[in-house]
Amino acid sequence: MPFHVAKEQYIQSPHEYLPKAFNHPTVEHHDPPKGKESYLLPAVLDVQNGAEMTATYPGPCIYYVTEGEIEYEDRKNPGNTTVLREGGILHVEEGSLIRWTCKSPNGVKGFAVAHVPVSITSVDDFVALEQ
């Protein structure tokens, strides 16, 4: 059953999953549905200037940027970067390896929804420090 999480509730409890990169665990549903193979994992993101991360996607994901901008590169086709700006939407295919870099002075905020296996309980499970 859906439930409402007030902005004040999740803004005050960010989780730093990487240096300078935060999500809001109140929004993420950490108990995947029983008897299912996959589910939709929501995330509210706040990434500060200077943050760098790489993510391997266990399922398709949609990002929407509400403030700022962030640069991304498909690591399977290195050298070609794209900037995702406020109002921008990105669809990431399952199996993608994406490197994110935030160079925006005020950082970037947005949200995402990923269709993931039930073994994935948080964005933390598929995001890693840049190697």
Side-chain angles (χ1 to χ4, degrees), residues 2-7 9:
F3 66 94
H4 175 75
V5 178
K7 179 179 178 181
Q9 186 178 355

Side-chain angles (χ1 to χ4, degrees), residues 6 20 28 35 53 59 85 98 109:
K20 301 183 180 185
E28 291 185 16
M53 65 200 89
R85 293 182 170 81
I98 304 293
K109 292 182 175 75

Side-chain angles (χ1 to χ4, degrees), residues 5-35:
V5 178
K7 179 179 178 181
E8 295 75 27
Q9 186 178 355
Y10 68 79
I11 291 296
Q12 296 173 4
S13 60
H15 164 66
E16 189 170 19
Y17 62 96
L18 289 173
K20 301 183 180 185
F22 300 85
N23 63 12
H24 298 280
T26 305
V27 175
E28 291 185 16
H29 300 278
H30 294 279
D31 295 321
K34 292 179 178 21

Side-chain angles (χ1 to χ4, degrees), residues 15 53 62 70 86 100 102 105 123:
H15 164 66
M53 65 200 89
I62 299 286
I70 192 164
E86 182 176 328
W100 298 92
C102 185
V123 171

Side-chain angles (χ1 to χ4, degrees), residues 64-75:
Y64 179 76
V65 173
T66 58
E67 296 177 31
E69 59 185 44
I70 192 164
E71 185 177 281
Y72 68 92
E73 174 186 33
D74 180 349
R75 298 300 282 176

Side-chain angles (χ1 to χ4, degrees), residues 66-118:
T66 58
E67 296 177 31
E69 59 185 44
I70 192 164
E71 185 177 281
Y72 68 92
E73 174 186 33
D74 180 349
R75 298 300 282 176
K76 294 180 180 178
N77 294 313
N80 187 14
T81 59
T82 303
V83 176
L84 187 60
R85 293 182 170 81
E86 182 176 328
I89 299 171
L90 175 66
H91 178 259
V92 178
E93 295 288 335
E94 179 178 353
S96 295
L97 180 62
I98 304 293
R99 180 174 183 263
W100 298 92
T101 306
C102 185
K103 297 178 182 175
S104 181
N106 294 323
V108 66
K109 292 182 175 75
F111 60 88
V113 177
H115 188 247
V116 297
V118 294

